[in-house]
């Protein structure tokens, strides 16, 4: 080995002396036995989560179901790689707990068995520099393609949309932990946007080979935090988040020993990592085309689709407009049950305590009754308004949410319970609006009793809509 | 003891001795940085030293010791008050400190033209910075590791609508409801601090502090949290600690070039130096890492709520108002009435909150320093607007009288003296004069509630609210 002075490499403290060593070429280096075995396991494990979808017929089915003339943000997840799902355990432990990792355990088992066989067949090889390069590429691009939706639905804040008035009037004790965690971002869109840009930074850093290690570190830190939060808050997306975190860790792993040597052991360090040179013209072009394709679809197109969605049909918020000018919180001045006037009471299981109309076509009211909580967490990207349940999922407290369709000529409202556990409840009300802030509803309630409800809109200011310096007094009804 | 041995091959470079020369720009920048950091790291506050010398070590509490490590920040050349604490103006003292640093560095540069470099001074200012930040972040982390900085919501808060809480309050409650997450955050902060205490892991610790505190700065801005400047100080100092490692990291992992490790550290060869170094390390570790942890773990009750002032026995809970008489007249329930009570909450401590449809001013302070009396521990209602009126009570259990004072500083003039009577375990009958000197008689009946938030996934497993009334 020869040493030569090479000013301009790097230094920590002065004085600095620069020595350049000649390296063994990384593709000629001999790996340790255990490194070879662990790499085989890791290679198989990550292959399952990054490229195995290419052998799944269902992937192509959904891929070709995309309507190119009418693209939607839903279509992005049809293009992006998906993991494997051998079994689903439908118990709380299977959804939230350790058992939810069952597919990971299966994949890991297969990988270990596979790696053992591979070790026997391919015993003479000295290293896997080529494969290690390409599996890193696969992990990097898988993460990019899978988090694009989360990134851009935060940058154009629609993943945590503004809360409905109905949600806002629920008491804190009536929310599930997951819902409180999730809605933390709903009332501060600027923070949601900030986090979106942090995720965009992960995508961008992973997109380039040089900065991939920073992307990996950021994915581990940020998405790892999300994975832990999803565990403690029972958020149900811990699997995906955990995969992105260990994917980031996997990329970081190739650098970490060197960073550790440099910073902690304070030794001289050479990185000396293999990367495929792409020398042939064909290879070069293929690389450019693939890279450009990912950029075009998962950065540019994805950004556009999410912007369009945010502007025109924010996917968690029902699209159909509500009765004009009705949005607000209503006191229930009168409540008639089968012709009998019921007085105000917070303990009554039939009499409404208050009612709320939204900008969109949802009517909610509160009664004092045990009700089932539905917990699809308002996830997914539903087509129909009645299925867009972000406003009602994960909340108790005797609150009933109805989707309605109003016939403004005949002044009737058809209502459908948004809670999937009460899907049978559908009502018909006659409504009229004697004045701007008054609504009267008449019809049969869910127990087929005839009710007449006189609602008066209340005008109040609420703390949550203000920054502290703006306002400290909040008037009452 | 210094052994004279032949250097090994790998420390080849250390044999080459070159005169160390910093450029004039480097020297000027360092002088400015040095003065700047001195202002951030050394408390120039007589109050601090007064507290330090009046410490009662025998009756030490974690609040006092932890406060020593966390509380002091940038010098207050200008007192920032009122609306300014929220905006860009709140950073003015950091700007002034920078100005002072540049001016002094200028004078220093004129006066000292001979010095070739400041290797030693650089080393020592970073040592001070490391220890200062480390003990601060560890004390901060302990409050989460033993979860008490964000306490679980009080019964009053559980019965307050989302819409009546300010941003900061909601943010804190979201952490408070899940101790597991708070512990994780505390663990990360303590780990960062421990890393900073070792020379070799300094860079990792500084990077971790920068990431955690950077996020806290942003969160404090968006949620109106009030400790943005203080957190920014920490993040800034962490950045200065990290600074000298950045070129090497960048060249290694981004440019993929070879990097030579070369760290300057003064030698501690003399006996007194060694003893002094070890002694200082042992002493500071013992106080701020071990003793503080001991204090905190032996006093794990939270400090936000007045836990030291227990309320009436077996009274904690949510009560409906069955009857409300004012001046001998029965008033029916109405959510619109500005006098009639709608519901009442008794906490485990001496707080009784009443829901009334009447305006109150929001108390918007967020400070780490809670008062010591029950009345002054205001956390439970700070940042909350709306209809729940908090009263602190002093109970005369012999004559069965409650003396109630509004906990909100803006409404302290509202006082009530009520006789109480508990015919059975679930019922309260209160009689006396209310805050407007009207004579009232109120019958309260406890309602057992199970909250969705507390039953966690159990409530989803059954897919059911367990709320019964």
């Amino acid at each position: 080995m020869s040493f030569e002075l090479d000013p301009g490499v790097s230094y920590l403290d002065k004085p600095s002396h620069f020595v350049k060593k000649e390296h063994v070429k990384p593709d000629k280096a001999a790996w340790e036995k255990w490194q070879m075995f662990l790499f085989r396991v890791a290679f198989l494990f990550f292959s399952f989560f990054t490229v195995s979808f290419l052998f799944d017929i269902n992937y192509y089915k959904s891929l070709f179901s995309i309507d190119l003339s009418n693209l939607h943000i839903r279509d992005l997840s049809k293009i992006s790689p998906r993991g494997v799902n051998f079994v689903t355990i439908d118990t709380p432990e299977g959804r939230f707990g350790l058992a939810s990792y069952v597919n990971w355990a299966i994949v890991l088992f297969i990988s270990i068995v596979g790696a053992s066989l591979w070790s026997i067949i391919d015993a003479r090889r000295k290293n896997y520099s080529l494969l290690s390069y390409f599996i890193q590429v696969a992990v990097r691009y898988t993460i990019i393609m899978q988090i694009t939706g989360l990134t851009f639905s935060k940058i154009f804040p629609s993943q945590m949309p503004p809360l409905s008035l109905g949600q806002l009037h629920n008491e804190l004790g009536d929310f599930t932990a997951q819902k409180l965690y999730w809605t933390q971002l709903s009332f501060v869109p600027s923070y949601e946007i900030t986090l979106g840009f942090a995720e965009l930074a992960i995508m961008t850093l992973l997109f380039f080979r040089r900065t991939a290690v920073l992307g990996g570190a950021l994915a581990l830190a940020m998405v790892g935090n999300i994975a832990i939060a999803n565990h403690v808050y029972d958020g149900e997306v811990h699997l995906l988040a955990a995969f992105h975190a260990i994917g980031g860790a996997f990329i970081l792993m190739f650098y970490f020993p060197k960073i550790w040597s440099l910073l902690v052991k304070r030794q001289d360090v050479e990185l000396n990592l293999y990367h495929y040179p792409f020398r042939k013209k064909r290879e070069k072009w293929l690389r450019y085309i693939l890279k450009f394709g990912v950029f075009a679809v998962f950065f540019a197109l994805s950004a556009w689709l999410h912007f369009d969605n945010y502007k025109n049909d924010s996917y968690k918020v029902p699209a159909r407009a509500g009765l004009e000018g009705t949005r607000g919180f209503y006191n229930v001045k009168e409540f008639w049950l089968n012709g009998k006037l019921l007085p105000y009471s917070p303990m009554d299981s039939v009499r409404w305590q208050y009612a709320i109309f939204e900008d969109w076509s949802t009517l909610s009211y509160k009664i004092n009754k045990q009700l089932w909580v539905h917990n699809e967490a308002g996830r997914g990207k539903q087509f129909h308004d009645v299925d867009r349940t972000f406003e009602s999922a994960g909340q108790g407290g005797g609150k009933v949410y109805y989707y309605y369709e109003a016939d403004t000529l005949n002044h009737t409202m058809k209502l459908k319970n948004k809670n999937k556990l009460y899907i049978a409840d559908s009502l018909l009300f006659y409504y009229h609006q004697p004045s701007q802030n008054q609504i009267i509803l008449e019809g049969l309630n869910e127990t087929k009793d005839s009710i007449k409800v006189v609602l008066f809109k209340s005008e109040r200011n609420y703390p949550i809509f203000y920054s502290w310096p703006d306002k400290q007094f909040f008037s009452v009804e | 003891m210094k052994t004279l041995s032949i250097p090994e091959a790998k420390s080849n470079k250390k044999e080459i001795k070159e005169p160390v020369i910093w450029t004039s720009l480097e020297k000027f920048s360092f002088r400015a940085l040095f003065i700047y950091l001195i202002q951030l790291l050394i408390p120039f506050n007589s109050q601090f030293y007064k507290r330090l010398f009046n410490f009662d070590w025998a009756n030490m509490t974690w609040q006092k010791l932890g406060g020593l490590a966390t509380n002091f920040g940038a010098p207050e050349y200008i007192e920032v008050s009122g609306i300014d604490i929220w905006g860009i103006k709140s950073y003015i003292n950091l700007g002034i400190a920078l100005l002072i640093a540049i001016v002094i560095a200028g004078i220093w540069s004129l006066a000292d033209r001979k010095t070739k470099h400041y290797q030693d001074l650089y080393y020592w200012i970073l040592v001070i910075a490391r220890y200062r930040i480390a003990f601060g972040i560890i004390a901060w982390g302990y409050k989460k590791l033993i979860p008490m900085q964000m306490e679980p919501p009080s019964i009053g808060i559980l019965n307050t609508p989302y819409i009546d809480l300010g941003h900061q309050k909601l943010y804190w409650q979201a952490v408070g409801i899940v101790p597991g997450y708070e512990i994780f955050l505390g663990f990360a902060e303590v780990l960062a601090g421990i890393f900073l205490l070792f020379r070799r892991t300094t860079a990792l610790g500084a990077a971790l502090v920068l990431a955690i505190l950077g996020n806290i700065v942003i969160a404090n801005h968006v949620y109106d949290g009030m400790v943005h400047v203080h957190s920014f100080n920490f993040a800034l100092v962490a950045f200065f600690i990290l600074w000298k490692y950045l070129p090497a990291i960048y060249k290694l992992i981004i440019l993929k070039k070879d990097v030579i490790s070369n760290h300057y550290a003064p030698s501690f060869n003399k006996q007194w130096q060694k003893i002094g170094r070890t002694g200082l390390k042992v002493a500071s570790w013992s106080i701020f890492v071990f003793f503080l942890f001991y204090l905190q773990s032996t006093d794990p009750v939270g400090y936000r709520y007045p836990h030291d002032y227990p309320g009436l026995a077996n009274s904690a809970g949510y009560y409906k108002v069955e009857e409300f008489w004012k001046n001998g007249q029965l008033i029916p329930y109405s959510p619109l009435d500005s006098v009639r009570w709608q519901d009442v909450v008794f906490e485990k401590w001496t707080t009784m909150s009443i829901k009334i449809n009447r305006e109150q001013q929001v108390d918007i302070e967020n400070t780490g320093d809670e008062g010591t009396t029950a009345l002054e521990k205001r956390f439970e209602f700070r940042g909350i607007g709306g209809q729940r009126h908090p009263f602190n009570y002093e109970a005369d259990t012999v004559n069965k009288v409650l003396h109630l004072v509004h906990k909100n500083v803006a409404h302290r003039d509202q006082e009530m003296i009520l006789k109480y009577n508990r015919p059975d375990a679930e019922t309260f009958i209160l009689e006396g004069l209310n805050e407007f000197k009207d004579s009232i008689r109120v019958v309260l009946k406890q309602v057992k509630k199970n909250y969705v938030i507390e039953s966690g996934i159990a409530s989803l497993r059954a897919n059911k609210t367990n709320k019964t009334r």
Side-chain angles (χ1 to χ4, degrees):
Chain A
M1 254 181 250
S2 70
F3 292 87
E4 61 179 86
L5 284 175
D6 173 17
V9 179
S10 178
Y11 56 90
L12 295 176
D13 283 344
K14 293 189 168 190
S16 43
H17 309 285
F18 310 104
V19 181
K20 190 171 186 180
K21 258 194 282 182
E22 278 203 1
H23 309 304
V24 182
K25 288 234 162 67
D27 51 341
K28 299 276 188 302
W31 290 14
E32 306 278 342
K33 269 240 159 69
W34 60 269
Q35 285 178 322
M36 296 289 278
F37 182 76
L38 280 187
F39 176 78
R40 290 181 187 117
V41 176
F43 180 85
L44 292 174
F45 183 84
F46 282 105
S47 299
F48 272 105
F49 288 99
T50 55
V51 290
S52 71
F53 72 93
L54 290 170
F55 306 99
D56 180 1
I57 187 75
N58 289 325
Y59 171 76
Y60 298 97
K61 273 188 197 154
S62 66
L63 188 64
F64 290 112
S65 73
I66 294 173
D67 176 6
L68 284 176
S69 63
N70 192 12
L71 284 172
H72 189 270
I73 52 170
R74 290 181 202 101
D75 298 326
L76 288 167
S77 57
K78 293 180 187 165
I79 311 172
S80 58
R82 25 182 105 166
V84 282
N85 198 27
F86 299 112
V87 287
T88 307
I89 301 178
D90 199 14
T91 64
E93 182 64 16
R95 281 166 65 193
F96 306 106
L98 215 54
S100 60
Y101 287 95
V102 60
N103 286 299
W104 288 39
I106 296 172
V107 168
L108 187 62
F109 178 74
I110 298 174
S111 304
I112 291 172
V113 173
S116 310
L117 293 175
W118 187 0
S119 301
I120 298 165
I121 299 166
D122 194 18
R124 290 172 62 190
R125 191 178 293 275
K126 276 185 159 164
N127 66 44
Y128 287 106
S129 50
L130 186 72
L131 283 184
S132 82
Y133 175 77
F134 281 104
I135 193 71
Q136 283 185 65
V137 172
V139 170
R140 277 164 52 200
Y141 281 88
T142 299
I143 296 177
I144 290 175
M145 292 188 263
Q146 286 181 344
I147 69 171
T148 182
L150 301 174
T151 299
F152 289 109
S153 58
K154 287 197 190 75
I155 289 180
F156 305 112
S158 47
Q159 192 189 354
M160 291 84 176
L163 295 173
S164 68
L165 278 179
Q167 280 173 309
L168 284 168
H169 281 88
N170 258 7
E171 286 158 9
L172 221 61
D174 292 330
F175 287 84
T176 60
Q178 186 275 339
K179 202 69 182 182
L180 279 183
Y181 171 65
W182 194 260
T183 54
Q184 266 183 92
L185 293 179
S186 283
F187 51 89
V188 283
S190 59
Y191 196 40
E192 190 177 348
I193 294 168
T194 307
L195 293 179
F197 275 105
E199 285 174 9
L200 182 62
I202 296 179
M203 288 172 63
T204 312
L205 292 168
L206 285 175
F207 188 67
F208 299 102
R209 181 177 57 85
R210 289 213 145 177
T211 53
V213 55
L214 295 180
L218 202 54
L220 176 63
M222 253 193 83
V223 193
N225 181 29
I226 294 177
I228 290 172
N230 268 287
H231 269 291
V232 290
Y233 288 97
D234 308 317
E236 280 198 284
V237 292
H238 52 281
L239 282 176
L240 197 62
F243 173 71
H244 294 152
I246 67 155
F250 180 65
I251 291 161
L252 186 61
M253 193 192 74
F254 290 89
Y255 298 80
F256 194 73
K258 306 291 169 108
I259 299 174
W260 186 263
S261 300
L262 175 73
L263 296 180
V264 179
K265 291 195 192 154
R266 312 213 149 181
Q267 293 166 347
D268 302 348
V269 185
E270 70 225 35
L271 193 57
N272 209 15
L273 278 183
Y274 176 78
H275 70 93
Y276 188 73
F278 294 100
R279 280 209 192 84
K280 289 183 197 139
K281 230 181 182 159
R282 281 204 301 256
E283 294 173 342
K284 256 186 204 160
W285 276 107
L286 188 66
R287 174 166 174 266
Y288 285 138
I289 288 169
L290 285 177
K291 202 152 184 154
F292 180 77
V294 168
F295 177 78
V297 174
F298 293 96
F299 285 80
L301 178 67
S302 171
W304 165 252
L305 289 177
H306 280 92
F307 171 71
D308 183 56
N309 183 271
Y310 165 69
K311 260 283 180 261
N312 299 319
D313 178 22
S314 190
Y315 66 97
K316 290 194 176 178
V317 180
R320 189 189 170 95
L323 271 177
E324 210 188 318
T326 55
R327 179 181 187 267
F329 176 92
Y330 290 80
N331 281 305
V332 183
K333 266 267 163 72
E334 290 174 24
F335 190 94
W336 300 80
L337 180 74
N338 297 326
K340 212 182 115 200
L341 182 65
L342 300 183
Y344 270 123
S345 162
M347 297 299 139
D348 198 312
S349 65
V350 176
R351 191 196 196 279
W352 299 3
Q353 292 173 38
Y354 60 75
I356 288 168
F357 280 91
E358 309 287 347
D359 268 336
W360 52 90
S361 63
T362 295
L363 163 67
S364 59
Y365 56 84
K366 184 184 169 81
I367 50 177
N368 179 36
K369 195 175 174 183
Q370 273 200 350
L371 292 168
W372 304 73
V373 175
H374 66 142
N375 189 48
E376 66 267 36
R379 261 205 211 87
K381 300 182 172 71
Q382 289 81 8
F383 276 106
H384 304 295
D385 278 1
V386 70
D387 299 324
R388 294 185 184 180
T389 52
F390 181 76
E391 57 182 329
S392 58
Q395 295 151 60
K399 203 67 167 287
V400 190
Y401 291 82
Y402 274 98
Y403 162 78
Y404 68 84
E405 284 173 13
D407 176 347
T408 48
L409 283 180
N410 300 315
H411 288 261
T412 56
M413 288 166 87
K414 271 195 212 159
L415 300 106
K416 244 184 163 167
N417 200 321
K418 294 195 80 162
N419 188 331
K420 292 285 162 288
L421 303 161
Y422 293 94
I423 203 149
D425 285 354
S426 74
L427 312 175
L428 183 71
F429 284 160
Y430 296 90
Y431 72 91
H432 55 118
Q433 294 166 279
S435 68
Q436 193 73 51
N437 52 6
Q438 194 183 352
I439 299 176
I440 299 174
L441 300 173
E442 279 179 274
L444 297 181
N445 71 1
E446 54 268 52
T447 52
K448 305 288 171 228
D449 291 302
S450 102
I451 56 169
K452 182 185 172 195
V453 189
V454 180
L455 302 174
F456 272 87
K457 198 191 250 183
S458 122
E459 301 288 351
R460 255 185 83 185
N461 294 313
Y462 297 100
I464 199 169
F465 298 132
Y466 293 89
S467 270
W468 284 135
D470 299 349
K471 203 169 176 78
Q472 287 176 43
F473 276 100
F474 298 92
S475 54
V476 288
E477 346 245 2
Chain B
M1 272 215 301
K2 194 175 185 178
T3 53
L4 284 171
S5 61
I6 300 158
E8 291 166 52
K10 81 171 189 182
S11 56
N12 254 350
K13 61 185 185 294
K14 275 156 199 152
E15 286 181 296
I16 312 167
K17 288 276 177 207
E18 251 179 33
V20 185
I21 297 171
W22 288 17
T23 65
S24 11
L25 180 66
E26 283 173 327
K27 280 191 280 188
F28 178 79
S29 310
F30 173 76
R31 289 171 187 137
L33 176 72
F34 181 80
I35 303 293
Y36 191 62
L37 283 179
I38 287 285
Q39 294 174 81
L40 259 59
L41 297 172
I42 314 274
F44 289 99
N45 182 340
S46 59
Q47 213 48 37
F48 174 83
Y49 293 98
K50 244 182 226 162
R51 267 168 68 178
L52 185 63
F53 292 117
N54 291 333
F55 255 175
D56 178 2
W57 288 93
N59 295 313
M60 184 52 75
T61 61
W62 64 261
Q63 283 98 328
K64 286 188 206 155
L65 190 58
L68 195 65
T70 53
N71 280 1
F72 74 89
E76 270 197 52
Y77 298 114
I78 292 179
E79 199 185 328
V80 183
S81 62
I83 200 167
D84 292 339
I85 57 171
W86 310 96
I88 191 78
K89 254 193 181 168
S90 55
Y91 291 97
I92 192 158
N93 283 309
L94 287 173
I96 294 173
L98 181 64
L99 224 59
I100 292 174
I102 290 173
V103 170
I104 295 184
I107 298 169
W108 186 355
S109 300
L110 290 177
D112 177 5
R113 291 164 179 276
K114 278 187 191 152
T115 310
K116 298 250 184 332
H117 65 84
Y118 290 101
Q119 279 198 120
D120 290 279
L121 218 47
Y122 191 24
Y123 176 84
W124 285 110
I125 191 73
L126 288 190
V127 169
I128 297 173
R130 276 167 48 206
Y131 276 75
R132 164 77 188 90
I133 297 300
F135 292 140
I137 194 94
I138 288 172
W140 233 336
Y142 279 166
K143 287 204 271 184
K144 299 193 187 75
L145 194 64
I146 297 156
M148 55 171 85
Q149 194 184 350
M150 290 87 175
E151 291 197 42
S154 64
I155 305 173
I157 291 177
L158 287 179
N159 286 287
T160 301
Y162 202 102
I163 203 164
D164 284 336
L165 281 81
H167 293 178
Q168 191 269 347
K169 202 68 177 181
L170 284 165
Y171 177 61
W172 276 51
Q173 289 306 331
V175 179
I177 50 169
V178 180
Y181 192 57
E182 194 175 342
I183 291 169
F184 163 69
L185 294 177
F187 173 76
E189 288 179 357
V190 172
L191 184 72
I194 301 286
F195 275 167
L196 274 177
L197 288 177
F198 292 101
R199 203 162 60 185
R200 283 171 176 258
T201 49
T202 294
L204 298 178
L208 207 50
V209 171
L210 186 60
I212 297 172
L213 269 298
N215 185 32
I216 294 181
V217 173
I218 296 173
N220 269 284
H221 274 288
V222 291
Y223 290 106
D224 305 326
M226 265 183 80
V227 290
H228 48 281
V229 179
H230 198 50
S231 317
F232 185 79
N233 277 342
F234 271 64
L236 193 63
V237 176
F239 177 71
F240 286 133
I241 297 172
L242 191 61
W243 174 257
K244 71 170 188 167
Y245 299 91
L246 291 179
I249 297 173
Y250 177 74
K251 278 173 181 154
L252 178 74
I253 67 173
I254 307 294
L255 301 182
K256 327 271 184 201
K257 286 186 178 171
D258 298 355
V259 180
I260 301 301
S261 171
N262 196 350
H263 298 265
Y264 174 76
S267 50
F268 296 95
N269 292 330
K270 300 204 180 85
Q271 195 66 22
W272 69 267
Q273 288 173 330
K274 282 185 185 171
I275 294 174
R277 178 163 179 261
T278 314
L280 279 176
K281 275 199 163 195
V282 170
S284 60
W285 271 77
S286 313
I287 295 170
F288 290 107
V289 181
F290 300 119
F291 186 49
L292 181 59
F293 184 77
Y294 165 78
L295 287 176
Q296 201 129 8
S297 56
T298 48
D299 182 17
V301 187
Y303 63 104
R304 296 290 187 182
Y305 299 122
H307 297 286
D308 298 338
Y309 299 85
L312 286 173
N314 303 321
S315 67
Y318 176 88
Y319 292 79
K320 61 178 178 174
V321 181
E322 280 211 322
E323 290 174 25
F324 189 91
W325 300 78
K326 185 182 134 192
N327 298 329
Q329 201 187 348
L330 182 65
I331 301 182
Y333 177 88
S334 161
L336 302 179
D337 198 308
S338 64
V339 175
R340 193 201 192 274
W341 301 0
Q342 292 176 40
D343 66 34
V344 170
V345 166
F346 278 95
E347 304 288 352
K348 291 189 188 104
W349 49 88
T350 56
T351 295
M352 177 181 121
S353 61
I354 311 166
K355 188 177 174 192
I356 316 171
N357 183 29
R358 191 171 71 227
E359 185 176 70
Q360 65 175 321
Q361 187 177 341
V362 180
D363 184 349
I364 60 173
E365 263 186 296
N366 169 33
T367 126
D369 276 333
E370 297 293 341
T372 47
T373 63
L375 192 63
E376 283 313 321
K377 284 197 184 267
R378 285 143 52 201
F379 174 81
E380 51 181 323
F381 293 102
R382 279 199 304 244
I384 301 179
Q387 304 177 337
R388 188 163 292 287
H389 290 252
F391 284 87
N392 180 63
Y393 62 80
E394 277 168 31
D396 174 351
T397 47
V398 179
N399 299 313
K400 305 218 165 182
V401 177
L402 298 179
H403 181 198
L404 299 116
V405 180
H406 207 299
K407 275 193 95 160
N408 189 329
V409 272
H411 303 293
R412 284 279 160 83
D413 53 325
Q414 296 183 16
E415 292 186 33
M416 293 190 263
I417 294 178
L418 301 174
K419 283 192 78 123
Y420 70 91
N421 179 17
R422 303 173 76 177
D424 59 62
E426 271 125 39
T427 313
F428 264 96
I429 298 172
L430 301 172
E431 274 176 290
L433 294 180
N434 74 358
E435 60 274 44
F436 306 115
K437 307 290 170 239
D438 288 313
S439 100
I440 55 169
R441 179 173 190 276
V442 189
V443 180
L444 306 175
K445 198 105 190 166
Q446 192 170 5
V447 179
K448 297 276 181 224
K449 271 183 165 187
N450 290 315
Y451 300 93
V452 176
I453 202 174
E454 283 175 350
S455 41
I457 57 172
S459 72
L460 305 174
R461 196 172 296 175
N463 263 323
K464 195 169 189 179
T465 60
N466 295 321
K467 188 167 195 169
T468 51
R469 276 177 169 168

